[in-house]
Amino acid sequence: MDETLLSKIEQKIQDSLSNKDEIKELIHLLSDIDDSKSFALGVVVGRIYNAFYYQSKRILKREPTKDEFNEFLEFVKNKKSDLENLW
């Protein structure tokens, strides 16, 4: 994955940490399930996914390739335990 793109995705993860209270508030408003940890992970992964596509278009000036998307999936998979521990 492009280093600049990877850096932006890492920054989005840090932003999620910084906005933890806002994300918790959103989850509280929208979640009527007991497993809010799963819901929180979904919110954060959604933010990261959005950043991946937006930054790919901005930095690379194109849609990400299938290989780049697969790299992104591997990145998220490797970060899963870190992301789950945000909550």
Side-chain angles (χ1 to χ4, degrees), residues 18-46:
S18 298
N19 296 324
K20 200 176 193 178
D21 291 336
E22 290 176 0
I23 293 172
K24 283 182 179 179
E25 192 174 332
L26 176 67
I27 290 164
H28 179 73
L29 283 171
L30 297 176
S31 179
D32 59 350
I33 56 176
D34 292 332
D35 189 10
S36 62
K37 191 172 187 176
S38 279
F39 193 77
L41 179 62
V43 169
V44 173
V45 169

